[in-house]
Amino acid sequence: MNKKCVKLSELMSCNTPYLKELFDGTEYPWQLLGLIKDTAKKLCENMPEGFRKLSDDVIVGKDTVIYDSAVIEGPAVIGEKCIVRPGAFIRGAVITGTGCVIGNSTELKNCILLNGVQVPHYNYVGDSVLGYKAHMGAGAVTSNVKSDRTLVSVRAGDEVLETRLKKMGAILGDRVEVGCNSVLNPGTVVGADSNIYPLSSVRGTVPPRCILKSGKGTEIVEKQ
């Protein structure tokens, strides 16, 4: 098994109109991370149709529900028909598409959530990009800084891709399912339509249409 799908176009498709230009001009998904803050600022200054301002640097789309106890710091763009549940903390440099769920006690920082993403319970998502309908189970988190504070690299088979980033969490392709209480270590890339078992510690690259099984060891098998 040697499916090294790490390019942005291989991992996810962008159906969010106000992110289309950004995605079309980017080869690797981690290259987006340094552009999120400025992109969010520009969108706040030139709001897409149907958005409204919560403050100078926070805008939300129509039919989005934000509970009173949620905290949103800018710049942030929350798309249409999203739910931001009680206790959520959006720390800035966050852009979401349509129909996202940002759950109770979930924290977001410098990340992109495309349409239909769900991070519904006790999740931390930092310096990450989550593709269409990606879902993180309760307590699943991205770890975005290495313990030795060195720069993050992405390992794809025998190849090592240098990101030149000190902070990078995870890249989840379209329709990825991450099991409860899993940790996605810095530089993790999960291919589209793959599943991560609960309680997994994930490193490197998981190919598309695979299952990462954890237990006594870690095993990656292709879906049948």
Side-chain angles (χ1 to χ4, degrees):
M1 186 189 306
N2 190 25
K3 300 176 182 176
K4 297 186 294 184
C5 293
V6 292
K7 291 189 175 182
L8 185 60
S9 60
E10 298 169 328
L11 289 160
M12 62 189 73
S13 55
C14 178
N15 294 319
T16 306
Y18 45 85
L19 287 172
K20 191 75 171 155
E21 183 178 349
L22 180 65
F23 271 61
D24 287 346
T26 304
E27 183 177 12
Y28 292 104
W30 49 87
Q31 293 171 336
L32 295 170
L33 299 178
L35 305 174
I36 296 172
K37 186 174 183 178
D38 285 344
T39 300
K41 284 181 178 179
K42 289 176 183 177
L43 288 169
C44 289
E45 293 168 359
N46 301 283
M47 285 192 299
E49 185 177 355
F51 277 72
R52 61 186 173 89
K53 282 184 178 286
L54 290 187
S55 64
D56 287 343
D57 57 357
V58 177
I59 62 174
V60 298
K62 61 184 179 182
D63 300 322
T64 284
V65 176
I66 300 174
Y67 283 80
D68 290 341
S69 58
V71 175
I72 305 178
E73 296 179 350
V77 178
I78 311 299
E80 298 180 356
K81 299 178 181 178
C82 295
I83 300 175
V84 183
R85 290 176 175 165
F89 182 24
I90 297 174
R91 284 173 51 195
V94 171
I95 305 174
T96 85
T98 300
C100 295
V101 176
I102 301 165
N104 57 299
S105 304
T106 288
E107 181 177 345
L108 305 182
K109 171 254 180 187
N110 195 52
C111 59
I112 293 174
L113 279 56
L114 291 185
N115 294 356
V117 167
Q118 295 190 3
V119 283
H121 311 287
Y122 310 107
N123 304 111
Y124 173 71
V125 181
D127 302 286
S128 300
V129 181
L130 278 56
Y132 172 70
K133 284 194 173 180
H135 172 260
M136 295 178 66
V141 299
T142 63
S143 173
N144 58 341
V145 180
K146 295 173 65 175
S147 59
D148 60 6
R149 302 298 193 271
T150 57
L151 300 182
V152 177
S153 58
V154 173
R155 297 185 177 275
D158 296 330
E159 188 177 6
V160 178
L161 302 171
E162 301 298 340
T163 70
R164 298 187 176 90
L165 298 172
K166 184 176 180 180
K167 291 187 177 183
M168 176 190 166
I171 309 296
L172 303 185
D174 290 342
R175 298 171 297 277
V176 164
E177 291 280 344
V178 178
C180 296
N181 291 317
S182 291
V183 177
L184 307 176
N185 288 283
T188 293
V189 178
V190 183
D193 298 296
S194 285
N195 291 59
I196 306 298
Y197 266 26
L199 299 174
S200 297
S201 178
V202 189
R203 296 181 184 277
T205 303
V206 178
R209 292 196 56 78
C210 285
I211 300 171
L212 185 145
K213 300 181 177 182
S214 60
K216 293 182 180 179
T218 298
E219 179 186 11
I220 298 176
V221 300
E222 293 188 72
K223 288 185 177 180
Q224 300 300 315

